[in-house]
Amino acid sequence: MSCKSNKKNKDKILEETIPITTLSLKAKEHFEKAQNLVQNGLNNNPLEHYKKAIELDSTFVRMYNYISIYSPNDSIKRLNHELAKKYMHMASKDEQMLVDATEYRLKYPNDNKEAILFKLAELYPSDKYLHHTICFLLFRKNPSLAIQAGIKSVDIDKNYGSGYNILGYAYINNNEFTMAEDAFDNFIRCESENANPYDSKGDLMLQMGKYKEALLLKQKAYELDKSFDWIPNEIIEIRTKLDSLNIKDIKN
């Protein structure tokens, strides 16, 4: 069963998003919930939805591929990629392109173009999640190209918080700190009750040497979400740095 949303455009049909091919509507719902959590910066590894989707459809290529892209564990990435390859004949051609892109990435880890995914993005120009994925995969290896994809994701949805987040980190890696700050400010605008945007902007302030601003942002993030358990150590390090700078000022 392929769940699609068609948009006619003269000679061809353009989809809003890449179709999700699965044998189970419930499995599709779990995929969409996982996608929402991961790509909106709410939960980077929603194991419960991954597990339930695959229990409902053991041939769910799109779910296997998604895990192979976003799982933080390399062995899990490879295992799920092999399962996606095993059943990819059951998926749509466009979903097969996602699998092919992962195969290429694993064979050539130093490649920094993601050419297959950019080709797919031409077919799905309105898929903000696809542009987010490209930005996520490239923000370290090729930040300038990642920025192009990130900009497209937030052009599609001006209130897409996580789109601004990954775009901000791409700007940091491209040494465009003013643009990064603007991206993180938009993330805060979109998700003011979420800890993540304050933590992200705090990272930028640290990069820029603005320790007082970083301290306030990290404190705000931890107040909002105590599960950000790395922040207390960061706060200690920032305060130590500020104390060191104050001592130097006194001596001078």
Side-chain angles (χ1 to χ4, degrees), residues 3-9 12-20 32 35 62 94 120-132 152-153 155-157:
C3 304
K4 301 181 179 181
S5 174
N6 294 336
K7 180 182 178 183
K8 293 185 178 180
N9 182 12
K12 63 180 180 178
I13 295 176
L14 289 179
E15 305 285 352
E16 291 288 341
T17 59
I18 299 172
I20 301 167
E32 290 174 335
Q35 184 181 58
R62 187 68 176 281
D94 297 327
L120 194 53
E122 292 178 4
L123 299 174
Y124 296 92
S126 297
D127 191 335
K128 69 178 183 181
Y129 289 121
L130 175 58
H131 295 299
H132 179 287
K152 287 182 179 177
S153 73
D155 279 347
I156 293 165
D157 182 353

mmCIF file of all heavy atoms in Angstrom, residues 3-9 12-20 32 35 62 94 120-132 152-153 155-157:
data_model
loop_
_atom_site.group_PDB
_atom_site.id
_atom_site.type_symbol
_atom_site.label_atom_id
_atom_site.label_comp_id
_atom_site.label_asym_id
_atom_site.label_seq_id
_atom_site.Cartn_x
_atom_site.Cartn_y
_atom_site.Cartn_z
ATOM 1 N N CYS A 3 1.017 5.312 0.267
ATOM 2 C CA CYS A 3 0.218 6.465 0.683
ATOM 3 C C CYS A 3 0.787 7.707 0.053
ATOM 4 O O CYS A 3 1.912 8.102 0.354
ATOM 5 C CB CYS A 3 0.240 6.572 2.198
ATOM 6 S SG CYS A 3 -0.341 5.059 2.988
ATOM 7 N N LYS A 4 0.045 8.353 -0.852
ATOM 8 C CA LYS A 4 0.581 9.451 -1.642
ATOM 9 C C LYS A 4 -0.305 10.684 -1.568
ATOM 10 O O LYS A 4 -1.487 10.615 -1.321
ATOM 11 C CB LYS A 4 0.732 9.024 -3.103
ATOM 12 C CG LYS A 4 1.639 7.818 -3.311
ATOM 13 C CD LYS A 4 1.750 7.469 -4.787
ATOM 14 C CE LYS A 4 2.675 6.293 -5.007
ATOM 15 N NZ LYS A 4 2.809 5.946 -6.433
ATOM 16 N N SER A 5 0.339 11.822 -1.835
ATOM 17 C CA SER A 5 -0.398 13.077 -1.939
ATOM 18 C C SER A 5 0.045 13.756 -3.217
ATOM 19 O O SER A 5 1.155 14.263 -3.295
ATOM 20 C CB SER A 5 -0.091 13.965 -0.728
ATOM 21 O OG SER A 5 -0.695 15.221 -0.891
ATOM 22 N N ASN A 6 -0.799 13.695 -4.248
ATOM 23 C CA ASN A 6 -0.366 14.125 -5.576
ATOM 24 C C ASN A 6 -0.563 15.607 -5.829
ATOM 25 O O ASN A 6 -1.491 16.221 -5.361
ATOM 26 C CB ASN A 6 -1.148 13.352 -6.646
ATOM 27 C CG ASN A 6 -0.816 11.879 -6.627
ATOM 28 O OD1 ASN A 6 0.250 11.486 -6.169
ATOM 29 N ND2 ASN A 6 -1.730 11.062 -7.122
ATOM 30 N N LYS A 7 0.357 16.159 -6.623
ATOM 31 C CA LYS A 7 0.277 17.561 -7.009
ATOM 32 C C LYS A 7 0.624 17.653 -8.495
ATOM 33 O O LYS A 7 1.758 17.458 -8.889
ATOM 34 C CB LYS A 7 1.278 18.380 -6.172
ATOM 35 C CG LYS A 7 1.282 19.852 -6.504
ATOM 36 C CD LYS A 7 2.336 20.560 -5.665
ATOM 37 C CE LYS A 7 2.389 22.030 -6.008
ATOM 38 N NZ LYS A 7 3.467 22.709 -5.251
ATOM 39 N N LYS A 8 -0.364 17.934 -9.330
ATOM 40 C CA LYS A 8 -0.143 17.934 -10.763
ATOM 41 C C LYS A 8 0.611 19.180 -11.199
ATOM 42 O O LYS A 8 0.375 20.266 -10.735
ATOM 43 C CB LYS A 8 -1.474 17.843 -11.511
ATOM 44 C CG LYS A 8 -2.169 16.499 -11.303
ATOM 45 C CD LYS A 8 -3.416 16.377 -12.146
ATOM 46 C CE LYS A 8 -4.056 15.026 -11.948
ATOM 47 N NZ LYS A 8 -5.279 14.867 -12.760
ATOM 48 N N ASN A 9 1.518 18.966 -12.147
ATOM 49 C CA ASN A 9 2.318 20.067 -12.667
ATOM 50 C C ASN A 9 2.564 19.822 -14.149
ATOM 51 O O ASN A 9 3.612 19.317 -14.548
ATOM 52 C CB ASN A 9 3.643 20.182 -11.907
ATOM 53 C CG ASN A 9 4.474 21.352 -12.381
ATOM 54 O OD1 ASN A 9 3.997 22.213 -13.106
ATOM 55 N ND2 ASN A 9 5.728 21.368 -11.992
ATOM 56 N N LYS A 12 4.067 16.296 -15.562
ATOM 57 C CA LYS A 12 4.311 15.214 -14.611
ATOM 58 C C LYS A 12 3.636 15.515 -13.288
ATOM 59 O O LYS A 12 3.177 16.610 -13.031
ATOM 60 C CB LYS A 12 5.809 14.999 -14.409
ATOM 61 C CG LYS A 12 6.526 16.193 -13.817
ATOM 62 C CD LYS A 12 8.010 15.864 -13.652
ATOM 63 C CE LYS A 12 8.765 17.046 -13.067
ATOM 64 N NZ LYS A 12 10.170 16.738 -12.869
ATOM 65 N N ILE A 13 3.583 14.506 -12.459
ATOM 66 C CA ILE A 13 2.992 14.658 -11.138
ATOM 67 C C ILE A 13 4.115 14.827 -10.129
ATOM 68 O O ILE A 13 5.025 14.019 -10.048
ATOM 69 C CB ILE A 13 2.144 13.428 -10.771
ATOM 70 C CG1 ILE A 13 0.949 13.314 -11.723
ATOM 71 C CG2 ILE A 13 1.682 13.504 -9.331
ATOM 72 C CD1 ILE A 13 0.111 12.095 -11.513
ATOM 73 N N LEU A 14 4.061 15.909 -9.385
ATOM 74 C CA LEU A 14 5.028 16.131 -8.322
ATOM 75 C C LEU A 14 4.366 15.829 -6.980
ATOM 76 O O LEU A 14 3.249 16.264 -6.726
ATOM 77 C CB LEU A 14 5.505 17.586 -8.326
ATOM 78 C CG LEU A 14 6.414 18.004 -9.482
ATOM 79 C CD1 LEU A 14 6.762 19.476 -9.327
ATOM 80 C CD2 LEU A 14 7.678 17.166 -9.518
ATOM 81 N N GLU A 15 5.051 15.058 -6.158
ATOM 82 C CA GLU A 15 4.542 14.733 -4.835
ATOM 83 C C GLU A 15 4.981 15.809 -3.849
ATOM 84 O O GLU A 15 6.030 16.408 -3.972
ATOM 85 C CB GLU A 15 5.111 13.378 -4.379
ATOM 86 C CG GLU A 15 4.857 12.226 -5.332
ATOM 87 C CD GLU A 15 3.426 11.733 -5.293
ATOM 88 O OE1 GLU A 15 2.675 12.191 -4.425
ATOM 89 O OE2 GLU A 15 3.076 10.902 -6.126
ATOM 90 N N GLU A 16 4.157 16.040 -2.841
ATOM 91 C CA GLU A 16 4.555 16.928 -1.759
ATOM 92 C C GLU A 16 5.730 16.329 -0.999
ATOM 93 O O GLU A 16 6.691 17.009 -0.667
ATOM 94 C CB GLU A 16 3.380 17.171 -0.823
ATOM 95 C CG GLU A 16 2.265 18.007 -1.423
ATOM 96 C CD GLU A 16 2.653 19.462 -1.578
ATOM 97 O OE1 GLU A 16 3.599 19.894 -0.924
ATOM 98 O OE2 GLU A 16 1.982 20.147 -2.365
ATOM 99 N N THR A 17 5.619 15.036 -0.682
ATOM 100 C CA THR A 17 6.686 14.324 0.016
ATOM 101 C C THR A 17 6.876 12.956 -0.629
ATOM 102 O O THR A 17 5.995 12.469 -1.344
ATOM 103 C CB THR A 17 6.351 14.130 1.506
ATOM 104 O OG1 THR A 17 5.141 13.387 1.615
ATOM 105 C CG2 THR A 17 6.178 15.477 2.211
ATOM 106 N N ILE A 18 8.010 12.342 -0.359
ATOM 107 C CA ILE A 18 8.275 11.016 -0.912
ATOM 108 C C ILE A 18 7.220 10.047 -0.376
ATOM 109 O O ILE A 18 6.959 10.005 0.829
ATOM 110 C CB ILE A 18 9.683 10.531 -0.512
ATOM 111 C CG1 ILE A 18 10.738 11.491 -1.054
ATOM 112 C CG2 ILE A 18 9.943 9.118 -1.043
ATOM 113 C CD1 ILE A 18 12.132 11.205 -0.551
ATOM 114 N N PRO A 19 6.595 9.241 -1.245
ATOM 115 C CA PRO A 19 5.578 8.287 -0.783
ATOM 116 C C PRO A 19 6.153 7.310 0.235
ATOM 117 O O PRO A 19 7.339 6.982 0.201
ATOM 118 C CB PRO A 19 5.173 7.554 -2.063
ATOM 119 C CG PRO A 19 5.590 8.439 -3.179
ATOM 120 C CD PRO A 19 6.788 9.178 -2.709
ATOM 121 N N ILE A 20 5.309 6.847 1.135
ATOM 122 C CA ILE A 20 5.705 5.865 2.149
ATOM 123 C C ILE A 20 5.041 4.545 1.792
ATOM 124 O O ILE A 20 3.819 4.402 1.913
ATOM 125 C CB ILE A 20 5.287 6.322 3.560
ATOM 126 C CG1 ILE A 20 5.933 7.671 3.888
ATOM 127 C CG2 ILE A 20 5.669 5.271 4.604
ATOM 128 C CD1 ILE A 20 5.337 8.338 5.120
ATOM 129 N N GLU A 32 5.720 7.987 10.673
ATOM 130 C CA GLU A 32 5.503 9.435 10.688
ATOM 131 C C GLU A 32 5.740 10.028 12.073
ATOM 132 O O GLU A 32 6.277 11.138 12.203
ATOM 133 C CB GLU A 32 4.088 9.745 10.194
ATOM 134 C CG GLU A 32 3.928 9.476 8.698
ATOM 135 C CD GLU A 32 2.496 9.645 8.216
ATOM 136 O OE1 GLU A 32 1.564 9.501 9.052
ATOM 137 O OE2 GLU A 32 2.298 9.916 7.016
ATOM 138 N N GLN A 35 9.511 10.120 12.470
ATOM 139 C CA GLN A 35 10.031 11.217 11.649
ATOM 140 C C GLN A 35 9.781 12.561 12.319
ATOM 141 O O GLN A 35 10.670 13.426 12.361
ATOM 142 C CB GLN A 35 9.372 11.180 10.270
ATOM 143 C CG GLN A 35 9.909 12.224 9.299
ATOM 144 C CD GLN A 35 9.206 12.152 7.960
ATOM 145 O OE1 GLN A 35 7.981 12.289 7.881
ATOM 146 N NE2 GLN A 35 9.955 11.927 6.907
ATOM 147 N N ARG A 62 11.229 1.695 3.954
ATOM 148 C CA ARG A 62 11.411 3.099 4.320
ATOM 149 C C ARG A 62 11.835 3.243 5.783
ATOM 150 O O ARG A 62 12.663 4.090 6.121
ATOM 151 C CB ARG A 62 10.121 3.862 4.060
ATOM 152 C CG ARG A 62 10.237 5.373 4.251
ATOM 153 C CD ARG A 62 11.139 5.997 3.171
ATOM 154 N NE ARG A 62 11.150 7.434 3.307
ATOM 155 C CZ ARG A 62 10.175 8.234 2.880
ATOM 156 N NH1 ARG A 62 9.118 7.727 2.257
ATOM 157 N NH2 ARG A 62 10.279 9.535 3.051
ATOM 158 N N ASP A 94 11.425 5.807 -5.961
ATOM 159 C CA ASP A 94 12.009 6.925 -5.233
ATOM 160 C C ASP A 94 12.564 6.471 -3.886
ATOM 161 O O ASP A 94 13.621 6.934 -3.445
ATOM 162 C CB ASP A 94 10.974 8.027 -5.039
ATOM 163 C CG ASP A 94 10.513 8.601 -6.369
ATOM 164 O OD1 ASP A 94 11.335 8.660 -7.299
ATOM 165 O OD2 ASP A 94 9.334 8.972 -6.487
ATOM 166 N N LEU A 120 16.869 13.394 -6.042
ATOM 167 C CA LEU A 120 15.543 13.094 -5.498
ATOM 168 C C LEU A 120 14.834 14.377 -5.061
ATOM 169 O O LEU A 120 13.616 14.522 -5.230
ATOM 170 C CB LEU A 120 15.695 12.144 -4.317
ATOM 171 C CG LEU A 120 14.454 11.429 -3.767
ATOM 172 C CD1 LEU A 120 13.692 10.703 -4.870
ATOM 173 C CD2 LEU A 120 14.856 10.467 -2.664
ATOM 174 N N ALA A 121 15.597 15.322 -4.537
ATOM 175 C CA ALA A 121 15.019 16.599 -4.091
ATOM 176 C C ALA A 121 14.442 17.387 -5.266
ATOM 177 O O ALA A 121 13.515 18.178 -5.089
ATOM 178 C CB ALA A 121 16.067 17.430 -3.367
ATOM 179 N N GLU A 122 14.986 17.180 -6.460
ATOM 180 C CA GLU A 122 14.415 17.831 -7.647
ATOM 181 C C GLU A 122 13.019 17.295 -7.937
ATOM 182 O O GLU A 122 12.163 18.012 -8.457
ATOM 183 C CB GLU A 122 15.325 17.611 -8.849
ATOM 184 C CG GLU A 122 16.664 18.342 -8.756
ATOM 185 C CD GLU A 122 17.560 18.056 -9.936
ATOM 186 O OE1 GLU A 122 17.108 17.336 -10.871
ATOM 187 O OE2 GLU A 122 18.710 18.527 -9.943
ATOM 188 N N LEU A 123 12.793 16.026 -7.603
ATOM 189 C CA LEU A 123 11.480 15.410 -7.824
ATOM 190 C C LEU A 123 10.495 15.783 -6.722
ATOM 191 O O LEU A 123 9.287 15.785 -6.939
ATOM 192 C CB LEU A 123 11.619 13.886 -7.885
ATOM 193 C CG LEU A 123 12.510 13.317 -8.993
ATOM 194 C CD1 LEU A 123 12.663 11.812 -8.822
ATOM 195 C CD2 LEU A 123 11.931 13.641 -10.360
ATOM 196 N N TYR A 124 11.030 16.091 -5.529
ATOM 197 C CA TYR A 124 10.201 16.424 -4.374
ATOM 198 C C TYR A 124 10.657 17.751 -3.764
ATOM 199 O O TYR A 124 11.151 17.794 -2.634
ATOM 200 C CB TYR A 124 10.264 15.301 -3.329
ATOM 201 C CG TYR A 124 9.692 14.011 -3.837
ATOM 202 C CD1 TYR A 124 10.506 13.069 -4.454
ATOM 203 C CD2 TYR A 124 8.331 13.752 -3.743
ATOM 204 C CE1 TYR A 124 9.975 11.884 -4.952
ATOM 205 C CE2 TYR A 124 7.787 12.577 -4.228
ATOM 206 C CZ TYR A 124 8.614 11.645 -4.835
ATOM 207 O OH TYR A 124 8.086 10.478 -5.330
ATOM 208 N N PRO A 125 10.500 18.839 -4.507
ATOM 209 C CA PRO A 125 10.992 20.130 -4.035
ATOM 210 C C PRO A 125 10.275 20.650 -2.798
ATOM 211 O O PRO A 125 10.784 21.552 -2.124
ATOM 212 C CB PRO A 125 10.768 21.050 -5.236
ATOM 213 C CG PRO A 125 9.649 20.416 -5.998
ATOM 214 C CD PRO A 125 9.853 18.950 -5.841
ATOM 215 N N SER A 126 9.106 20.080 -2.477
ATOM 216 C CA SER A 126 8.330 20.564 -1.328
ATOM 217 C C SER A 126 8.462 19.656 -0.109
ATOM 218 O O SER A 126 7.727 19.825 0.864
ATOM 219 C CB SER A 126 6.848 20.694 -1.711
ATOM 220 O OG SER A 126 6.677 21.651 -2.725
ATOM 221 N N ASP A 127 9.397 18.709 -0.149
ATOM 222 C CA ASP A 127 9.572 17.783 0.966
ATOM 223 C C ASP A 127 10.606 18.359 1.938
ATOM 224 O O ASP A 127 11.806 18.168 1.786
ATOM 225 C CB ASP A 127 10.021 16.415 0.446
ATOM 226 C CG ASP A 127 9.971 15.333 1.518
ATOM 227 O OD1 ASP A 127 10.056 15.687 2.714
ATOM 228 O OD2 ASP A 127 9.854 14.151 1.157
ATOM 229 N N LYS A 128 10.123 19.069 2.948
ATOM 230 C CA LYS A 128 11.039 19.720 3.892
ATOM 231 C C LYS A 128 11.887 18.698 4.641
ATOM 232 O O LYS A 128 13.046 18.975 4.980
ATOM 233 C CB LYS A 128 10.271 20.591 4.878
ATOM 234 C CG LYS A 128 9.412 19.841 5.881
ATOM 235 C CD LYS A 128 8.717 20.789 6.862
ATOM 236 C CE LYS A 128 7.907 20.031 7.906
ATOM 237 N NZ LYS A 128 7.216 20.938 8.836
ATOM 238 N N TYR A 129 11.325 17.510 4.891
ATOM 239 C CA TYR A 129 12.076 16.501 5.616
ATOM 240 C C TYR A 129 13.247 15.985 4.789
ATOM 241 O O TYR A 129 14.317 15.686 5.323
ATOM 242 C CB TYR A 129 11.167 15.342 6.027
ATOM 243 C CG TYR A 129 10.195 15.696 7.128
ATOM 244 C CD1 TYR A 129 8.829 15.588 6.926
ATOM 245 C CD2 TYR A 129 10.652 16.146 8.364
ATOM 246 C CE1 TYR A 129 7.931 15.908 7.941
ATOM 247 C CE2 TYR A 129 9.763 16.472 9.385
ATOM 248 C CZ TYR A 129 8.406 16.348 9.161
ATOM 249 O OH TYR A 129 7.521 16.670 10.166
ATOM 250 N N LEU A 130 13.060 15.864 3.482
ATOM 251 C CA LEU A 130 14.150 15.423 2.609
ATOM 252 C C LEU A 130 15.275 16.457 2.601
ATOM 253 O O LEU A 130 16.455 16.105 2.711
ATOM 254 C CB LEU A 130 13.623 15.190 1.186
ATOM 255 C CG LEU A 130 14.681 14.831 0.136
ATOM 256 C CD1 LEU A 130 15.454 13.577 0.523
ATOM 257 C CD2 LEU A 130 14.026 14.662 -1.234
ATOM 258 N N HIS A 131 14.929 17.731 2.487
ATOM 259 C CA HIS A 131 15.957 18.778 2.507
ATOM 260 C C HIS A 131 16.674 18.797 3.861
ATOM 261 O O HIS A 131 17.890 19.008 3.935
ATOM 262 C CB HIS A 131 15.330 20.137 2.213
ATOM 263 C CG HIS A 131 14.757 20.256 0.832
ATOM 264 N ND1 HIS A 131 15.528 20.121 -0.303
ATOM 265 C CD2 HIS A 131 13.490 20.492 0.403
ATOM 266 C CE1 HIS A 131 14.762 20.281 -1.368
ATOM 267 N NE2 HIS A 131 13.521 20.492 -0.963
ATOM 268 N N HIS A 132 15.917 18.567 4.937
ATOM 269 C CA HIS A 132 16.511 18.470 6.280
ATOM 270 C C HIS A 132 17.522 17.319 6.319
ATOM 271 O O HIS A 132 18.626 17.471 6.858
ATOM 272 C CB HIS A 132 15.411 18.256 7.314
ATOM 273 C CG HIS A 132 15.902 18.122 8.733
ATOM 274 N ND1 HIS A 132 16.546 16.995 9.192
ATOM 275 C CD2 HIS A 132 15.834 18.980 9.785
ATOM 276 C CE1 HIS A 132 16.858 17.159 10.476
ATOM 277 N NE2 HIS A 132 16.431 18.355 10.859
ATOM 278 N N LYS A 152 16.279 25.566 1.883
ATOM 279 C CA LYS A 152 15.071 25.097 1.209
ATOM 280 C C LYS A 152 14.061 24.544 2.216
ATOM 281 O O LYS A 152 12.855 24.749 2.078
ATOM 282 C CB LYS A 152 15.428 24.039 0.171
ATOM 283 C CG LYS A 152 16.105 24.622 -1.065
ATOM 284 C CD LYS A 152 16.399 23.552 -2.091
ATOM 285 C CE LYS A 152 17.059 24.158 -3.331
ATOM 286 N NZ LYS A 152 17.418 23.113 -4.330
ATOM 287 N N SER A 153 14.565 23.844 3.238
ATOM 288 C CA SER A 153 13.635 23.252 4.211
ATOM 289 C C SER A 153 12.849 24.328 4.951
ATOM 290 O O SER A 153 11.646 24.177 5.193
ATOM 291 C CB SER A 153 14.388 22.360 5.202
ATOM 292 O OG SER A 153 15.143 23.113 6.123
ATOM 293 N N ASP A 155 12.424 27.479 3.844
ATOM 294 C CA ASP A 155 11.618 28.227 2.874
ATOM 295 C C ASP A 155 10.265 27.557 2.689
ATOM 296 O O ASP A 155 9.241 28.228 2.510
ATOM 297 C CB ASP A 155 12.347 28.316 1.524
ATOM 298 C CG ASP A 155 13.402 29.416 1.498
ATOM 299 O OD1 ASP A 155 13.400 30.266 2.412
ATOM 300 O OD2 ASP A 155 14.231 29.418 0.571
ATOM 301 N N ILE A 156 10.267 26.229 2.727
ATOM 302 C CA ILE A 156 9.022 25.471 2.591
ATOM 303 C C ILE A 156 8.113 25.704 3.800
ATOM 304 O O ILE A 156 6.893 25.850 3.668
ATOM 305 C CB ILE A 156 9.323 23.965 2.436
ATOM 306 C CG1 ILE A 156 10.027 23.713 1.101
ATOM 307 C CG2 ILE A 156 8.053 23.129 2.530
ATOM 308 C CD1 ILE A 156 10.685 22.343 1.009
ATOM 309 N N ASP A 157 8.728 25.737 4.977
ATOM 310 C CA ASP A 157 7.971 25.914 6.218
ATOM 311 C C ASP A 157 8.716 26.905 7.112
ATOM 312 O O ASP A 157 9.721 26.565 7.735
ATOM 313 C CB ASP A 157 7.811 24.568 6.934
ATOM 314 C CG ASP A 157 6.982 24.669 8.214
ATOM 315 O OD1 ASP A 157 6.635 25.798 8.617
ATOM 316 O OD2 ASP A 157 6.687 23.606 8.806
#
